[in-house]
Amino acid sequence: MIFDDFLVRAALAGIGVALAAAPLGCFVVWRRMAYFGDATAHAAVLGVALSLVLSTSILAGVLATSLIMATIVSTLSGRGYAMDTLLGVMAHSALALGLVAVSFVSGVRIDLMAYLFGDILAVGKADLAVIWAGAALVLGLMGWRWPNLLTATLNTDLAYASGIDPKREQLILTLSLAVVVAVALKVVGVLLIAALLIIPAATARPFSRTPETMALLAAAFGASATTGGLQAAFWLDTPTGPTIVSLAAMLFALSSLAGRLKTRIMKTVGQ
């Protein structure tokens, strides 16, 4: 066997998160909701803290707080609150409350860095099952709501004319993002979740002519970044989560360069 079992589990976990994050990341880019990923991830810190205080499952706590955050943001948006202001208030409030709650936990030693930056090498079989179950749920939901989500993203007036409620579609999108944040916590951690959502989608954008192509390419770039970053971290003895995101950033830089070269070539040919 070429790879150890823990490396195989880590690779499968990374691929599962990348597949789930790809279509959601596309909508985050299209809707300019990049800050929402940060806000939901910060809520995950509060979920970890409350789980430790209440001695409950960390996954359940993270999922619950992420879902609550998503619901509150979706409910309050458009009611006199600017989205960036609302997300800023919610994100920093959740992070502060989480850190305060951790200070009340006595007799429990936790590796805070693992929650902040992920600990993909510690993924077990149960974690892997949860990650792929969450990925399957999100992918199934995206496949079911894809046309409606695209219409609501393109034009709200067109959505209403087509009998689609944009607020409902936004709620579905935000709840899906909350699920991805919860299952990705083990892989890349709170501080890097938003990067795994946004960077692969942004990398795929220059090569995509249709939304479906962008989602598929984002999944490919995300999976490549996770598996390649995992190998690089193993060889270089660097933190795995940051290495994955660093490789994703390198792919984005190359994609941007290729996109600019393509534009210049097309302009030259057109002249």
Side-chain angles (χ1 to χ4, degrees):
M1 188 172 183
I2 300 177
F3 298 107
D4 293 327
D5 287 341
F6 76 95
L7 286 176
V8 174
R9 289 195 297 270
L12 290 174
I15 292 172
V17 171
L19 292 178
L24 292 175
C26 292
F27 282 108
V28 167
V29 171
W30 294 330
R31 287 172 171 252
R32 298 181 180 179
M33 293 173 58
Y35 201 39
F36 180 82
D38 286 326
T40 310
H42 288 165
V45 175
L46 177 59
V48 171
L50 292 177
S51 298
L52 294 173
V53 171
L54 301 174
S55 300
T56 59
S57 167
I58 289 179
L59 176 65
V62 169
L63 183 59
T65 53
S66 297
L67 290 173
I68 291 172
M69 167 70 82
T71 304
I72 291 175
V73 170
S74 182
T75 301
L76 293 181
S77 63
R79 297 190 178 184
Y81 298 94
M83 180 62 77
D84 58 343
T85 301
L86 182 61
L87 289 175
V89 171
M90 297 294 292
H92 294 98
S93 299
L95 181 59
L97 288 172
L99 295 177
V100 169
V102 168
S103 67
F104 289 104
V105 180
S106 59
V108 178
R109 300 186 63 180
I110 62 171
D111 183 6
L112 188 59
M113 294 294 287
Y115 291 112
L116 293 178
F117 297 104
D119 192 10
I120 191 173
L121 296 179
V123 169
K125 293 181 179 179
D127 297 319
L128 197 58
V130 169
I131 289 171
W132 276 92
L137 175 63
V138 170
L139 289 174
L141 190 59
M142 287 295 100
W144 175 42
R145 307 301 300 181
W146 185 263
N148 290 357
L149 283 168
L150 280 178
T151 304
T153 300
L154 179 64
N155 189 296
T156 54
D157 292 333
L158 178 61
Y160 281 121
S162 303
I164 299 170
D165 184 0
K167 295 291 292 183
R168 181 187 61 202
E169 301 307 320
Q170 180 177 323
L171 179 60
I172 291 172
L173 181 62
T174 52
L175 293 179
S176 299
L177 281 166
V179 173
V180 170
V181 167
V183 299
L185 184 68
K186 192 81 171 182
V187 177
V188 290
V190 167
L191 299 181
L192 303 178
I193 288 173
L196 198 59
L197 276 168
I198 298 166
I199 296 177
T203 304
R205 197 168 193 172
F207 306 105
S208 307
R209 293 188 176 182
T210 65
E212 292 77 14
T213 301
M214 183 170 166
L216 291 173
L217 286 177
F221 283 125
S224 299
T226 53
T227 54
L230 181 63
Q231 288 183 324
F234 184 72
W235 291 333
L236 302 174
D237 193 24
T238 54
T240 310
T243 304
I244 290 172
V245 176
S246 296
L247 181 56
M250 292 174 62
L251 291 175
F252 171 72
L254 292 173
S255 169
S256 299
L257 180 60
R260 290 185 179 182
L261 289 174
K262 180 181 177 182
T263 302
R264 287 186 179 181
I265 292 173
M266 291 180 66
K267 286 183 178 180
T268 302
V269 174
Q271 292 174 353

